[in-house]
Amino acid sequence: MSHSPDSSQSTLSHISIIRPDDWHLHVRDGEALKSVVPFTAKQCGRAIIMPNLTPPVTTTEQAGIYRQAVLAAAGENSTFQPLMTLYLTDSTPAEEIKTAVASGIISAVKLYPAGATTNSDAGVTDIRQCYPTLEMMQKLGLPLLVHGEVTHHEIDIFDREKQFIDQRLISLAKDFPELKIVFEHITTADAADFVRESSAYIAATITAHHLLMNRNDMLVGGIKPHHYCLPVLKRETHRQALVKAAISGNNKFFMGTDSAPHSRHNKETACGCAGMFTAFAAIELYTEAFDEADALDKLEQFSSLNGPLFYGLEVNSDKITLQREKWTVPDAYQFGDDVLIPLRAGQTINWKLVS
Ligand code: NCD
Ligand code: ZN
Ligand code: ZN
């Protein structure tokens, strides 16, 4: 952080921080991939690439091919490193974990409860089926990333994260006390409390949109499909609890945008897809959230230090600089042969990445 100790943070005109990483990112495949990867490659040193393609990325071999496509999309001169993940299914063999670790390109395995979110149909129906595989991950130190929502029809969508903690996560953490688990895109005070009170093996990512918005932003004054994501935005008290966790300086919480691009027509329809596209201004949006909380001095730890610490990696070696400057977000971005609507389309963001 470059500011004099007596300057009020809310009036800072510039901040410089170690280059951030995105510990939860969707970049899709094909032409769409080429459209979105450069946004993240420009801002972040590394990103955890989610495996929920159709078909899902379930093997190290598939992840290797996908990794090459992401690298190609980042461009020849880019130093951006995609960190690949495997999509856990009921039948992922423990052997595949050995292969994954030996390859050196797989950073984690992703658990989607079947039916919980976009492209999760091939996800896990019964976590006990995966126990030998989780055993191997614990042994070899490969983290498990979790979409933490139960899927039972009778559970209210606003309660699904809390129910996941009570019904699944507590016993999982007990059965695998040394398995590294990232509770992804947490959205509730309950999740923040759970992570805070758990062992050092359990951490969480928090998105910029869950720090900046609550469910009113999705539902008041007309339904906003571009503010619909999973886990769904929650009430204001939860947003405040997430901000508190993010700015706390606790190293269990780190940046994971969950930038999840979908074409405009897949969002603006009678049954729209879940996901917000934020990668084009990821660090600017987080900076705005930290600035609003008068905690710019805590941004670097959250965006650039805590993630590498948890994953056992070096922090990035260069810095980025942001300037306090309002700019207007484009109405749309190209998305393969389609378009997508970014978060804040046509509206302003208060910070701009300048170098
Ligand atoms: C994600 C996507 O579109 O792939 N959507 C979302 O709303 N977050 C999936 C996910 O991260 O759950
Ligand atoms: Zn998810
Ligand atoms: Zn996601």
Side-chain angles (χ1 to χ4, degrees):
M1 285 291 308
S2 55
H3 61 90
S4 56
D6 58 351
S7 70
S8 156
Q9 288 173 21
S10 56
T11 59
L12 276 178
S13 64
H14 286 81
I15 59 165
S16 289
I17 56 170
I18 291 173
R19 183 175 295 282
D21 302 297
D22 188 346
W23 300 97
H24 183 133
L25 178 69
H26 301 270
V27 293
R28 315 308 185 199
D29 53 9
E31 291 302 309
L33 169 98
K34 295 179 193 161
S35 305
V36 294
V37 168
F39 290 110
T40 300
K42 189 177 163 210
Q43 299 205 340
C44 295
R46 295 161 288 202
I48 287 273
I49 307 296
M50 288 293 147
N52 61 331
L53 305 181
T54 33
V57 180
T58 55
T59 66
T60 305
E61 194 185 346
Q62 290 169 332
I65 295 166
Y66 189 27
R67 178 170 175 273
Q68 289 307 326
V70 177
L71 283 170
E76 257 176 30
N77 299 323
S78 174
T79 55
F80 173 70
Q81 287 176 47
L83 306 177
M84 308 311 290
T85 59
L86 296 185
Y87 184 115
L88 186 67
T89 70
D90 285 344
S91 57
T92 303
E95 273 305 308
E96 189 62 44
I97 302 305
K98 285 191 190 165
T99 309
V101 171
S103 77
I105 62 160
I106 306 294
S107 296
V109 173
K110 181 69 190 260
L111 162 61
Y112 291 103
T117 188
T118 306
N119 295 342
S120 62
D121 293 350
V124 171
T125 63
D126 178 0
I127 190 70
R128 278 162 305 195
Q129 306 249 21
C130 303
Y131 267 34
T133 305
L134 297 177
E135 202 70 65
M136 185 62 77
M137 288 167 59
Q138 175 170 255
K139 188 171 156 206
L140 300 183
L142 192 63
L144 178 72
L145 314 182
V146 179
H147 179 108
E149 289 191 289
V150 297
T151 56
H152 319 302
H153 186 68
E154 68 278 12
I155 305 294
D156 189 279
I157 190 165
F158 291 102
D159 299 333
R160 288 180 173 201
E161 186 172 273
K162 162 93 173 97
Q163 288 289 321
F164 186 87
I165 298 169
D166 297 342
Q167 295 182 27
R168 303 267 183 272
L169 205 47
I170 290 173
S171 59
L172 192 64
K174 196 159 144 265
D175 292 344
F176 297 95
E178 295 186 4
L179 175 63
K180 282 189 183 179
I181 299 175
V182 184
F183 195 169
E184 296 287 345
H185 49 41
I186 59 168
T187 63
T188 57
D190 311 276
D193 289 344
F194 172 80
V195 170
R196 201 179 290 111
E197 289 157 18
S198 302
S199 81
Y201 287 93
I202 299 185
T205 53
I206 308 179
T207 76
H209 48 275
H210 288 103
L211 293 175
L212 289 164
M213 294 192 286
N214 64 36
R215 63 197 194 182
N216 282 8
D217 295 298
M218 176 178 59
L219 295 170
V220 173
I223 192 160
K224 318 274 192 325
H226 299 293
H227 291 173
Y228 172 63
C229 67
L230 288 169
V232 73
L233 292 171
K234 304 295 192 300
R235 63 168 65 242
E236 174 63 9
T237 48
H238 290 299
R239 188 194 69 81
Q240 286 173 13
L242 298 176
V243 170
K244 201 173 137 210
I247 70 170
S248 66
N250 185 327
N251 57 31
K252 286 163 158 281
F253 300 102
F254 42 85
M255 166 169 154
T257 63
D258 193 19
S259 178
H262 292 278
S263 67
R264 177 179 195 154
H265 74 265
N266 280 329
K267 293 287 291 176
E268 297 178 8
T269 174
C271 185
C273 291
M276 299 188 205
F277 180 64
T278 54
F280 71 100
I283 194 62
E284 291 92 333
L285 290 164
Y286 280 107
T287 304
E288 199 178 290
F290 276 65
D291 190 19
E292 268 174 23
D294 215 357
L296 286 173
D297 59 332
K298 294 293 197 309
L299 176 66
E300 180 179 63
Q301 193 187 348
F302 176 83
S303 66
S304 317
L305 304 181
N306 292 346
L309 183 70
F310 183 82
Y311 278 85
L313 299 169
E314 299 284 313
V315 304
N316 290 315
S317 54
D318 60 339
K319 289 198 158 201
I320 60 164
T321 299
L322 292 121
Q323 181 170 312
R324 186 188 297 280
E325 180 192 327
K326 265 201 196 333
W327 59 285
T328 302
V329 175
D331 292 332
Y333 284 112
Q334 202 61 38
F335 187 53
D337 52 14
D338 217 321
V339 294
L340 66 73
I341 310 299
L343 191 70
R344 297 263 178 98
Q347 295 168 276
T348 57
I349 294 181
N350 292 337
W351 287 84
K352 192 165 189 183
L353 181 66
V354 287
S355 69

